[in-house]
Amino acid sequence: MESDAHKEWLASWHPRPIEERTFAPASVAPWICPECAGPATIGVRVGGLVNVRCEADGTWYAVAPFSFNQQELLVTAPRPPQMNPEARLWFLHTAATVMLNAARGTFLVIELQGHPCEYAIIDRASGHELGLQIGSREWDCAHCGNRPIPEEAADKLTSLGFAPAGPRVNAWRQNLPSSSRDFAILLERSFLAAYEPPLDFELALYASRLDDYTRLVSALS
């Protein structure tokens, strides 16, 4: 049952501006799209695998060891998008550790691999404490359209302390765990509640700052 304080907070909650709910490929890393030469987002995955994604032209792949200046990109993913649950929790623990110690203005996108509308955003926006968003799938995605998360999923997120999702509004909460382990568990539970993925679902991490990207790569190597 919700506490009176929680109900009061939900009643007074207002979504942040849309600009704070998106991530710009140009902000993340030293790569360009091989098709349009525009900025490409770099996504870190387990096993030394990296996504190179252009919002207009799709995703390429690189496998460690690689050089950002010389690596030949792969058109086809070198393995299926699967992840051992124990490895996934370690992966999320690393993401939580990076963000609990991140500077103001930092954000990290955790994406369900192969599902660009199914993601979490952890952000430390200026003037706000650390926040967590879970994608609502109602952003008029060019690839997926609108596929709102089911009412049952929304209820599960509410039980995890999230304010409701809606059109162009993600489910969102503050008051996040200060322990990396507890934060990682919350992240996994949030993905399971919102999207009901298979047990071996894989995640990719997209950092907004080059130093955070470097920290992720170092921690996961």
Side-chain angles (χ1 to χ4, degrees):
M1 178 177 291
E2 292 178 316
S3 67
D4 290 341
H6 184 62
K7 289 179 181 177
E8 182 179 344
W9 174 73
L10 284 175
S12 63
W13 179 79
H14 298 287
R16 297 184 188 175
I18 287 175
E19 289 74 20
E20 295 188 18
R21 296 173 174 276
T22 60
F23 64 105
S27 69
V28 69
W31 204 299
I32 61 173
C33 170
E35 291 289 333
C36 68
T41 312
I42 307 299
V44 183
R45 296 166 62 183
V46 293
L49 187 59
V50 172
N51 294 347
V52 181
R53 192 176 80 196
C54 171
E55 297 304 302
D57 296 308
T59 302
W60 289 262
Y61 306 92
V63 182
F66 54 80
S67 163
F68 277 115
N69 294 320
Q70 301 174 358
Q71 173 67 24
E72 180 180 353
L73 298 181
L74 305 174
V75 175
T76 304
R79 62 170 173 77
Q82 297 170 339
M83 200 173 197
N84 178 285
E86 186 174 333
R88 185 172 60 241
L89 195 59
W90 166 70
F91 196 66
L92 289 171
H93 185 277
T94 301
T97 300
V98 167
M99 288 305 297
L100 285 170
N101 297 284
R104 294 284 175 183
T106 302
F107 59 89
L108 179 73
V109 178
I110 307 174
E111 184 180 280
L112 187 61
Q113 180 61 34
H115 299 264
C117 286
E118 298 182 351
Y119 59 83
I121 299 176
I122 311 170
D123 70 304
R124 190 180 288 279
S126 180
H128 295 274
E129 63 182 277
L130 196 66
L132 172 62
Q133 302 175 42
I134 300 296
S136 65
R137 298 198 309 212
E138 294 186 77
W139 287 84
D140 299 317
C141 174
H143 303 287
C144 307
N146 280 327
R147 298 176 296 114
I149 59 176
E151 184 176 347
E152 181 181 355
D155 290 342
K156 289 178 181 177
L157 288 173
T158 298
S159 72
L160 290 174
F162 286 84
R168 302 190 74 80
V169 176
N170 291 329
W172 180 82
R173 67 165 277 179
Q174 291 186 161
N175 303 315
L176 299 172
S178 57
S179 155
S180 296
R181 177 183 178 277
D182 292 342
F183 196 178
I185 292 171
L186 172 63
L187 288 167
E188 179 160 77
R189 290 180 67 191
S190 300
F191 272 97
L192 292 170
Y195 308 123
E196 296 187 335
L199 290 177
D200 61 352
F201 70 95
E202 184 181 4
L203 298 169
L205 304 177
Y206 294 86
S208 64
R209 295 163 17 128
L210 183 56
D211 55 347
D212 292 318
Y213 168 82
T214 303
R215 288 169 66 195
L216 286 170
V217 171
S218 176
L220 293 167
S221 298

